[in-house]
Amino acid sequence: MSAKDEIDALTGIRGVAAVTVITYHIYPSEEFPWGLHQFIARGYLSVDLFFVLSGFVMALNYGQMFRDPVRIPAIGTFLLRRIARLYPLYIVFLALRVGYSLLTYHSVTVPGFWFAMNLEHPAKDLIANSLMIQSWGVAKAITNPTWSISTEWGAYFLFPFMVTPILFRGQWSVMFATLVAVALVIAASIMTGYDGTTHNGALDANDGRTMVPMLRCLGGFALGVITFRAFQISWVKRLAGSGIGWLVIAYMLTAIALHAHDLVIYPAFPLLVLCLACDKGWLGAVFSWKPIFELGVLSYTIYVIHNVWFRPFQWLRAELPKQMPMPVAQMVVAAFLILSIGGAAIALHRWVEVPGRRLVRTLSRSFETRSSPSPRGG
């Protein structure tokens, strides 16, 4: 495969998954017609697609760094690259919420007010969230969607040790890793029935005060790395690029429409990532289409910030129908949601995420040069 910063179709599916999560969080699924209703109701599974996709992309961009015995400089380079990708936007948005709460209410325990925080254990919660370790069984995420970012940060620490046996060892090693990854996903789906929290499905685990979200992430992330191992096999790549991706999507949508268990739907995720990685045919063209690709570029920013729109959204949904016909009000609310989140995401991506990434990479460049080979993109 030629070296390139990213596979366009994989960036595109990331954007589609982000929009699905936002719709799931904001709109009641019952408001959608049959078929779409079931799809939105399972929107939480888009996060599992993120996990699989993340494992695949990490293996694509950084796997060669760990072909040889794991070295400290290589681990440091990898983690610094991930900090550069995740942390600038994450910490700025967290600081904005902390600053707003302190300046406006002189407290970080402020129940029921927009953008303010309501922390049960302020010191512990702030420290854990600042270090991105909140969902390691430590605390709740202050900005709710960042629970999954915290679990991915945990997966990155394990990546250098999982990638070598999966990518550069024999078939028995890969088979064992696959069994472990599948067991983690199954365990997470079972444990949601006993962790004392509310769930919309077997894999809807997001409370970082338990270890279930971490198991959910690690299982999907490892399956993504394993999917990349399969992607390197020539006949698998030919088959994945032959158009079966449409069959994978049909299987996934049919299973969702028939209310299948989450574990029945889950196998579609690594298969879909594998097919899109070939970036061929109409399937690749759809997800590489520039508007969808650009949505994927903004997906991390959109995902981090979107939950603070819940309260304004609900207020508009309640008030606007009093002033105008319901269909018009619904269109205005949808336009507000798209334009405001999109505008904020573009601004934060351009002025926080990208410059922050460059700054961290510049500061760490002297360390990175000690590790070889250099990874592609990321």
Side-chain angles (χ1 to χ4, degrees):
M1 173 167 208
S2 63
K4 57 186 276 187
D5 288 341
E6 55 194 322
I7 298 174
D8 291 352
L10 294 184
T11 300
I13 192 62
R14 196 166 69 224
V16 172
V19 170
T20 303
V21 171
I22 293 170
T23 307
Y24 164 74
H25 283 158
I26 292 182
Y27 279 98
S29 61
E30 295 79 9
E31 295 186 4
F32 293 90
W34 186 91
L36 193 55
H37 156 65
Q38 288 92 330
F39 180 76
I40 298 302
R42 294 295 184 90
Y44 58 87
L45 288 176
S46 292
V47 179
D48 296 283
L49 176 58
F50 276 131
F51 292 148
V52 175
L53 180 58
S54 180
F56 184 97
V57 172
M58 292 303 102
L60 168 69
N61 288 332
Y62 298 97
Q64 289 296 326
M65 291 178 65
F66 304 104
R67 174 182 282 276
D68 300 321
V70 174
R71 296 170 296 138
I72 297 300
I75 295 175
T77 294
F78 171 70
L79 292 177
L80 285 170
R81 286 288 182 97
R82 302 324 299 156
I83 289 173
R85 178 68 179 89
L86 298 180
Y87 202 65
L89 173 70
Y90 175 94
I91 197 63
V92 166
F93 194 69
L94 178 63
L96 286 174
R97 297 198 65 189
V98 172
Y100 176 82
S101 299
L102 292 176
L103 290 174
T104 306
Y105 303 105
H106 310 291
S107 174
V108 290
T109 304
V110 187
F113 286 90
W114 177 79
F115 207 66
M117 298 181 299
N118 183 27
L119 306 185
E120 298 176 359
H121 309 287
K124 183 185 76 170
D125 292 348
L126 283 172
I127 292 172
N129 278 266
S130 296
L131 297 175
M132 291 195 299
I133 64 171
Q134 65 271 25
S135 294
W136 300 9
V138 178
K140 291 190 71 173
I142 291 175
T143 299
N144 291 339
T146 62
W147 71 266
S148 64
I149 296 167
S150 173
T151 60
E152 280 210 35
W153 179 231
Y156 295 155
F157 280 91
L158 297 178
F159 174 77
F161 305 98
M162 73 168 68
V163 71
T164 301
I166 292 175
L167 296 188
F168 307 116
R169 298 291 183 268
Q171 293 183 355
W172 286 107
S173 180
V174 179
M175 290 175 63
F176 177 74
T178 303
L179 289 174
V180 172
V182 170
L184 289 173
V185 174
I186 293 174
S189 72
I190 294 173
M191 292 173 68
T192 53
Y194 304 95
D195 63 3
T197 60
T198 302
H199 307 282
N200 293 321
L203 281 171
D204 181 28
N206 54 63
D207 191 333
R209 292 171 297 183
T210 76
M211 286 301 296
V212 184
M214 182 62 78
L215 297 181
R216 177 186 179 189
C217 172
L218 290 177
F221 187 89
L223 285 171
V225 178
I226 294 164
T227 302
F228 180 72
R229 170 73 182 252
F231 178 68
Q232 297 179 90
I233 303 171
S234 58
W235 70 265
V236 171
K237 189 181 295 187
R238 287 195 302 270
L239 180 62
S242 66
I244 66 168
W246 292 111
L247 296 178
V248 173
I249 292 175
Y251 166 80
M252 179 180 67
L253 295 179
T254 300
I256 290 174
L258 296 177
H259 302 282
H261 192 277
D262 288 354
L263 293 179
V264 175
I265 301 167
Y266 200 100
F269 301 150
L271 290 173
L272 181 59
V273 169
L274 182 61
C275 293
L276 288 173
C278 294
D279 212 4
K280 293 181 178 178
W282 282 104
L283 184 67
V286 167
F287 287 98
S288 301
W289 185 42
K290 188 170 179 58
I292 294 180
F293 174 81
E294 293 297 335
L295 187 62
V297 171
L298 295 173
S299 60
Y300 176 65
T301 312
I302 292 171
Y303 183 77
V304 169
I305 70 175
H306 77 269
N307 79 307
V308 301
W309 266 257
F310 293 174
R311 190 177 294 273
F313 174 77
Q314 295 298 339
W315 182 83
L316 284 174
R317 278 170 58 87
E319 294 299 320
L320 285 186
K322 300 175 183 177
Q323 312 296 328
M324 60 188 70
M326 178 62 75
V328 177
Q330 290 176 335
M331 291 178 61
V332 171
V333 171
F336 161 78
L337 190 66
I338 294 169
L339 295 175
S340 58
I341 294 182
I346 291 171
L348 288 170
H349 176 76
R350 179 176 299 175
W351 294 320
V352 175
E353 186 180 356
V354 173
R357 189 187 313 168
R358 290 173 179 162
L359 175 62
V360 174
R361 287 192 175 186
T362 298
L363 294 175
S364 63
R365 190 169 296 156
S366 60
F367 182 90
E368 289 187 12
T369 57
R370 297 167 55 191
S371 181
S372 178
S374 180
R376 299 192 303 270

